[in-house]
Amino acid sequence: MEKKNIDWSNLGFGYIKTDKRFVSNFKDGAWDDGVMTEDDKVVISECAGVLQYAQTIFEGLKAYTTEDGRIVCFRPDLNASRMADSAKRLEMPVFPEDRFVDAVIQTVKANEGFVPPYGSGATLYVRPYMFGSNPVIGVKPADEYQFRIFTTPVGPYFKGGAKPITIKISDFDRAAPHGTGHIKAGLNYAMSLHAIVTAHQEGYDENMYLDAGTRTKVEETGGANFLFITKDGKVVTPKSSSILPSITRRSLMYVAKEYLGLETEEREVYLDELSDFAECGLCGTAAVISPVGKIVDHGKEICFASGMEQMGETTKKLYDTLTGIQMGRLDAPEGWIREIK
Ligand code: PLP
Ligand code: COI
């Protein structure tokens, strides 16, 4: 398929309508076969469960053009299983995991012309999502659902790409203990909007949320997990039952250990130990690894030795190795790369 005429290297993280999307409906207890359609409009009841009680979940993954010109997706099976976990927590039907992966592949294939070329710095972002579609007025789960997947070509999530960002310790909480922080529910993002608008108004790029129970431990940002590098080169990531289990973070911890021979640790990370770390980064599908240069705790600045100009040395190694695997420059662990044929 011929590539679309897009200025790939100057894309930000925005929405561009692509040609095709996948749609499947759940009714009378079963999912239909699903179709690929050009229709980007969703028509639902004014009283749909998603509109009244926010019964909606989503996923995010990317398709890449490799160095040798293949189109691949990164670990879509993990998005499928996380979406199943999200669905169960919000009393929604699970879209079968094998069908999820198949639909992702079909949707990327149908929009091949929008997959950015190798070396452009852009990728095709894939957004699977599901919502309650029939009228619900008493507080209860919907009976009917729609599962959709659209794609959009994207550039870096943070303006400036690899330039370190500044983070604010938020006064707002993202997720409660025993709440929904560990699933990818739209409601987690709705409640973060006021916090992120406030942080942006104050000149920060992102928020660091703390654990709501004690406000002493690091959780995550609105859209990425944290990674820290100790002064002796260990990779540390916060452990918490109320953060999203990032596929990028899980992959990076494996890469750190198995490809780079670094020591890794998933453990509780306390706010008052932040100044002991040498490097800090945000990791996620959209963020990839975005370096953090500074964290501000109510006026008190915590500056990492890696500075505000470039990625720290270990963060850069992790970035190069992960993107090397995703773009086919390095051999991937078994099952990590799904080729779109
Ligand atoms: N944390 C939150 C709140 C997110 O929205 C995301 C994005 O998906 C992540 C972490 C990173 O997860 P992943 O690496 O699976 O994209
Ligand atoms: C992703 O990284 O895929 C996400 O869903 C994060 C979102 C904030 C864009």
Side-chain angles (χ1 to χ4, degrees):
M1 192 189 279
E2 211 177 304
K3 288 289 168 200
K4 302 287 175 179
N5 183 19
I6 291 174
D7 183 7
W8 308 107
S9 303
N10 287 312
L11 286 175
F13 195 86
Y15 173 74
I16 293 173
K17 183 181 155 190
T18 59
D19 290 342
K20 301 274 178 67
R21 64 273 304 125
F22 178 83
V23 183
S24 177
N25 288 296
F26 181 90
K27 198 175 171 176
D28 300 328
W31 288 103
D32 66 15
D33 289 342
V35 290
M36 202 60 75
T37 171
E38 290 185 0
D39 189 358
D40 62 323
K41 298 289 185 291
V42 176
V43 180
I44 46 175
S45 162
E46 62 187 354
C47 195
V50 58
L51 298 179
Q52 301 311 320
Y53 303 124
Q55 199 184 15
T56 180
I57 56 176
F58 68 99
E59 272 303 322
L61 68 156
K62 282 174 171 173
Y64 309 81
T65 305
T66 60
E67 193 171 26
D68 61 1
R70 292 170 300 131
I71 294 176
V72 300
C73 279
F74 186 69
R75 311 189 78 178
D77 52 315
L78 296 190
N79 295 95
S81 79
R82 191 170 62 189
M83 190 144 185
D85 292 342
S86 299
K88 288 174 198 158
R89 179 65 176 78
L90 291 198
E91 291 295 335
M92 301 167 87
V94 169
F95 192 76
E97 293 182 36
D98 53 340
R99 289 196 57 200
F100 176 105
V101 173
D102 191 55
V104 164
I105 290 170
Q106 271 189 58
T107 314
V108 173
K109 177 119 192 88
N111 295 292
E112 228 178 303
F114 287 94
V115 184
Y118 176 76
S120 63
T123 50
L124 188 73
Y125 187 70
V126 182
R127 173 55 62 88
Y129 60 114
M130 188 201 291
F131 50 87
S133 52
N134 69 301
V136 170
I137 193 71
V139 177
K140 63 175 183 132
D143 303 306
E144 294 174 14
Y145 294 85
Q146 192 163 100
F147 171 78
R148 300 177 70 102
I149 306 177
F150 70 77
T151 60
T152 179
V154 295
Y157 191 67
F158 294 103
K159 282 197 292 287
K163 210 150 166 67
I165 58 171
T166 301
I167 293 205
K168 173 192 159 110
I169 309 263
S170 184
D171 290 322
F172 299 101
D173 293 326
R174 175 180 181 275
H178 315 293
T180 55
H182 61 299
I183 61 159
K184 216 158 160 58
L187 61 92
N188 292 334
Y189 299 80
M191 58 78 59
S192 76
L193 297 176
H194 178 61
I196 192 65
V197 169
T198 306
H200 285 164
Q201 278 166 352
E202 294 170 1
Y204 300 101
D205 299 297
E206 252 300 348
N207 280 307
M208 171 184 276
Y209 293 105
L210 302 178
D211 73 296
T214 69
R215 308 206 99 253
T216 58
K217 288 177 275 185
V218 175
E219 292 262 293
E220 59 176 329
T221 70
N225 284 179
F226 277 102
L227 281 185
F228 299 97
I229 314 293
T230 63
K231 286 176 182 146
D232 57 359
K234 193 189 290 175
V235 185
V236 177
T237 193
K239 187 181 173 80
S240 161
S241 57
S242 46
I243 65 176
L244 192 76
S246 158
I247 294 162
T248 314
R249 183 253 297 165
R250 285 181 268 162
S251 305
L252 282 166
M253 295 303 271
Y254 181 89
V255 158
K257 203 158 156 224
E258 304 297 332
Y259 282 62
L260 300 174
L262 300 171
E263 228 182 295
T264 58
E265 209 169 59
E266 185 182 353
R267 62 161 170 86
E268 291 182 330
V269 172
Y270 286 85
L271 179 56
D272 63 12
E273 64 174 310
L274 287 182
S275 53
D276 296 340
F277 292 115
E279 298 174 34
C280 172
L282 304 184
C283 62
T285 298
V288 194
I289 309 182
S290 302
V292 176
K294 195 196 291 183
I295 297 174
V296 183
D297 180 10
H298 302 90
K300 188 180 119 212
E301 294 195 345
I302 300 156
C303 299
F304 296 102
S306 48
M308 293 303 293
E309 285 310 313
Q310 58 200 20
M311 265 192 201
E313 196 185 326
T314 304
T315 307
K316 176 85 167 74
K317 276 190 205 154
L318 285 166
Y319 178 92
D320 287 345
T321 312
L322 180 72
T323 54
I325 291 169
Q326 291 168 333
M327 312 270 176
R329 291 187 298 268
L330 295 173
D331 284 340
E334 180 77 29
W336 280 25
I337 299 295
R338 279 299 297 261
E339 192 169 340
I340 315 291
K341 289 188 188 154

